[in-house]
Amino acid sequence: MDEGDKIKSDGEFIYFAREDDIIITSAAKEHSELVYTIQEDDFSPIELYIHDKILISIGYSYEVNINPNLKTKKKQESHADSFIYPPHQLFTTAYFYDISNPKEPKKVREIALEGDYQGSRIKDNELFLIVNDTPSFHISENTTKDTRPYVKDSVTNQTYNKVDFEKIYFFQREYGKQLFNDWHRPLRSFKKGSNH
């Protein structure tokens, strides 16, 4: 089992997650040098993994409110709602980079799950990612409000979509208003951007 960390090394290169970027340096003790900097818009990396020439960066990203209901309302109504709805939505995002050549990493996949990052592990060549989301019930009197969290997987879709009902499970225990989003995938084909 592997756990994420801010600093990872493959023996030849060191990968360091900073506040808003990831730097890759050579691992030479006396002559270490910067070889590449990875930076994504509106993304703050927290933890890194290295698995079979794949660098995985997990962190937070923020999106301007993507609630489609607001986009269909009249201008004056949308302006009023902008003071009620959160202006940004928090996502736990994972970027996957092919580091066969660490001097030229290639992004091969992006996963985004709405909510707060809780933890992750790699076990038996699978990445497990846990996110906690608290729906904003208080922002609407509409009891039929869809509180499913948004997700995005760049392999299947470049836009944010609600979690499918078929993938939602109910645990018969009181957890308050929190939703737990569990995402896991095998890592064997990630360099090809596979969905499997």
Side-chain angles (χ1 to χ4, degrees):
M1 181 167 312
D2 189 15
E3 299 183 18
D5 208 337
K6 282 189 172 294
I7 301 176
K8 289 287 188 179
S9 176
D10 58 9
E12 294 185 59
F13 296 90
I14 297 172
Y15 304 80
F16 177 33
R18 304 193 299 182
E19 183 177 354
D20 60 358
D21 63 12
I22 300 166
I23 59 172
I24 304 174
T25 67
S26 61
K29 292 183 180 180
E30 297 181 359
H31 304 287
S32 179
E33 61 179 6
L34 177 67
V35 298
Y36 200 87
T37 300
I38 300 174
Q39 190 168 32
E40 302 288 350
D41 293 338
D42 301 318
F43 176 72
S44 298
I46 300 173
E47 293 181 346
L48 303 176
Y49 289 92
I50 296 177
H51 183 85
D52 191 25
K53 299 297 182 180
I54 291 291
L55 173 66
I56 305 169
S57 172
I58 299 173
Y60 289 118
S61 61
Y62 296 87
E63 294 289 339
V64 175
N65 200 307
I66 57 176
N67 189 328
N69 295 326
L70 297 184
K71 298 177 182 179
T72 60
K73 293 184 177 183
K74 296 179 181 179
K75 184 176 181 181
Q76 60 270 24
E77 293 177 335
S78 295
H79 178 71
D81 281 330
S82 68
F83 292 97
I84 302 175
Y85 283 80
H88 293 82
Q89 288 168 261
L90 173 68
F91 284 84
T92 296
T93 302
Y95 288 102
F96 300 78
Y97 304 92
D98 182 349
I99 52 172
S100 298
N101 179 5
K103 296 182 179 180
E104 293 183 3
K106 296 179 181 178
K107 184 167 64 177
V108 294
R109 194 168 188 173
E110 174 189 352
I111 304 293
L113 308 173
E114 185 178 10
D116 193 28
Y117 177 60
Q118 297 297 296
S120 62
R121 294 292 188 275
I122 290 180
K123 182 180 180 182
D124 298 331
N125 294 319
E126 288 198 50
L127 171 66
F128 294 83
L129 183 61
I130 305 296
V131 174
N132 180 23
D133 180 47
T134 303
S136 299
F137 291 108
H138 62 282
I139 63 177
S140 173
E141 295 179 0
N142 181 7
T143 57
T144 61
K145 180 179 181 294
D146 188 350
T147 58
R148 290 175 297 157
Y150 284 96
V151 296
K152 181 175 76 171
D153 186 342
S154 63
V155 169
T156 58
N157 202 321
Q158 292 292 336
T159 60
Y160 292 93
N161 295 285
K162 293 284 190 179
V163 174
D164 293 336
F165 283 108
E166 296 78 12
K167 297 180 180 179
I168 297 177
Y169 298 88
F170 174 71
F171 297 92
Q172 196 158 358
R173 180 178 173 183
E174 179 58 48
Y175 283 102
K177 299 178 180 179
Q178 297 177 334
L179 300 176
F180 292 93
N181 202 340
D182 171 21
W183 183 93
H184 60 95
R185 288 291 188 279
L187 299 172
R188 59 183 177 272
S189 302
F190 263 49
K191 282 189 284 188
K192 298 180 181 179
S194 170
N195 190 33
H196 304 288

